[in-house]
């Protein structure tokens, strides 16, 4: 697949992959497969491979995991071209969030976590729209900016994408993008009181880094749609392409 993409110059840039662990634990044997695949493809095609820590949850992450992951990647014989962190993109992700609100593609929801969960429906029944789904753009922007400023307690509001509550893929039923978390981040300190959900940060981080081949395990197959939707709405040209592989 990659050889064909290179021959056709599909992306108009060199092959770029990444190994994106979350720094909330130590690596296991399954990570070894991902390391060999991502770093190996970059090496085979004269490309680059980033080590990117997907550090979007301040409650679970720690610098000790970052250092352990770096040691283990190097112990396996891999060397990254750039050491990057999703947390470095928080500002850019917030800008994208505001742009989505301005386009009517996202809204602030004030329901509880339980209400949001119940409103998603099931695999056999459509979800129900939030009573806050049609808030005016100006009101959404005001609330989002106040969330950013730390005015509200945890759980008071979330930012959701405005997609389709009857979508066959439940992930696409107005997924959460940003949530309030009054917690210190191991790298950002107390600079942020809102944090991106993994699905919001992951595909956009790939796009920001110019990744060509986003390789991940099969449990992320259904997430591909939200990654593609976000990257498209954010205006990226020639975005990364996700391909899933079996877990080890």
């Amino acid at each position: 697949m990659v050889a064909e993409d290179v021959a056709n110059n599909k992306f108009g840039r060199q092959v770029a992959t990444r190994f994106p662990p979350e720094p909330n634990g130590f690596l296991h044997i399954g990570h070894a497969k991902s390391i060999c695949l991502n770093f190996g493809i970059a090496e085979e095609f004269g490309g680059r491979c980033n080590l990117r820590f997907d550090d979007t949850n301040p409650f679970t992450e720690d610098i000790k995991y970052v250092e352990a992951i770096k040691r283990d990647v190097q112990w396996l014989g891999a060397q990254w071209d750039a050491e990057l962190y999703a947390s470095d993109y928080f500002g850019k992700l917030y800008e994208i969030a505001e742009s989505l609100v301005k386009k009517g593609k996202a809204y602030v929801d004030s329901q509880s976590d339980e209400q949001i969960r119940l409103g998603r429906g099931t695999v056999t029944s459509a979800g129900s729209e939030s009573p806050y789904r049609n808030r005016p753009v100006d009101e959404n922007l005001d609330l989002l900016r106040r969330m950013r400023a730390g005015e509200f307690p945890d759980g008071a509001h979330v930012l959701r994408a405005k997609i389709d509550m009857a979508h066959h893929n439940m992930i696409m039923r107005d997924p959460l993008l940003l949530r309030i978390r009054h917690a210190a981040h191991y790298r950002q300190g107390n600079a942020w009181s809102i944090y991106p959900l993994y699905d919001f940060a992951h595909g956009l981080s790939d796009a920001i880094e110019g990744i060509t081949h986003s390789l991940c395990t099969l449990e992320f197959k259904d997430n591909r749609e939200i990654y593609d939707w976000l990257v498209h709405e954010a205006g990226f040209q020639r975005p990364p392409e996700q391909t899933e592989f079996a877990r080890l």
Side-chain angles (χ1 to χ4, degrees):
M1 177 194 74
V2 179
E4 185 176 330
D5 290 346
V6 171
N8 297 332
N9 194 27
K10 180 174 181 176
F11 294 95
R13 56 186 185 270
Q14 72 177 144
V15 168
T17 61
R18 80 290 177 269
F19 175 59
E22 296 173 75
N24 58 8
F26 301 109
L27 298 187
H28 54 70
I29 192 68
H31 288 107
K33 179 176 181 179
S34 181
I35 290 166
C36 291
L37 189 61
N38 280 288
F39 285 94
I41 283 177
E43 182 179 3
E44 182 178 348
F45 292 97
R48 59 186 174 87
C49 183
N50 296 337
L51 174 62
R52 183 182 74 238
F53 293 96
D54 275 348
D55 52 351
T56 59
N57 187 342
F59 288 131
T60 60
E61 294 154 357
D62 195 284
I63 191 67
K64 70 181 180 183
Y65 298 125
V66 170
E67 296 305 324
I69 288 167
K70 288 163 64 175
R71 285 195 302 270
D72 286 350
V73 170
Q74 290 176 318
W75 179 75
L76 280 175
Q79 183 57 51
W80 50 90
D81 290 275
E83 180 182 323
L84 303 170
Y85 297 82
S87 56
D88 288 336
Y89 309 141
F90 283 176
K92 177 66 175 174
L93 292 171
Y94 178 77
E95 290 176 11
I96 292 171
E98 281 213 1
S99 73
L100 290 172
V101 169
K102 290 173 183 175
K103 292 196 300 180
K105 299 286 187 174
Y107 63 98
V108 174
D109 195 349
S110 305
Q111 295 183 104
S112 68
D113 289 347
E114 178 68 8
Q115 288 171 320
I116 291 172
R117 186 186 66 78
L118 291 173
R120 281 217 171 90
T122 69
V123 292
T124 57
S125 62
S128 54
E129 293 188 356
S130 165
Y132 304 100
R133 196 174 194 265
N134 296 310
R135 270 178 161 147
V137 169
D138 288 347
E139 184 180 344
N140 281 316
L141 272 179
D142 176 64
L143 286 168
L144 178 59
R145 288 167 181 171
R146 291 166 65 191
M147 288 166 62
R148 168 73 179 90
E151 285 191 30
F152 303 112
D154 290 8
H157 307 287
V158 293
L159 184 71
R160 297 179 71 176
K162 193 173 186 178
I163 305 177
D164 180 1
M165 290 305 295
H167 202 285
H168 65 89
N169 182 352
M170 290 185 66
I171 291 173
M172 298 297 283
R173 296 180 184 177
D174 291 11
L176 275 62
L177 304 180
L178 290 168
R179 60 191 168 190
I180 301 169
R181 288 286 186 271
H182 289 281
H185 188 276
Y186 77 105
R187 293 187 71 248
Q188 300 288 338
N190 292 305
W192 292 89
S193 55
I194 53 174
Y195 289 90
L197 276 292
Y198 183 87
D199 279 353
F200 184 39
H202 187 76
L204 287 170
S205 295
D206 283 346
I208 290 167
E209 293 175 17
I211 300 304
T212 57
H213 296 82
S214 173
L215 308 174
C216 63
T217 45
L218 282 168
E219 71 266 29
F220 292 103
K221 184 175 182 179
D222 288 343
N223 303 68
R224 189 197 311 164
E225 279 192 270
I226 185 57
Y227 299 158
D228 289 348
W229 186 90
L230 285 165
V231 168
H232 172 75
E233 292 295 340
F236 285 96
Q237 303 298 315
R238 293 188 176 180
E241 187 167 283
Q242 178 170 302
T243 304
E244 300 85 18
F245 60 90
R247 296 181 74 178
L248 178 65

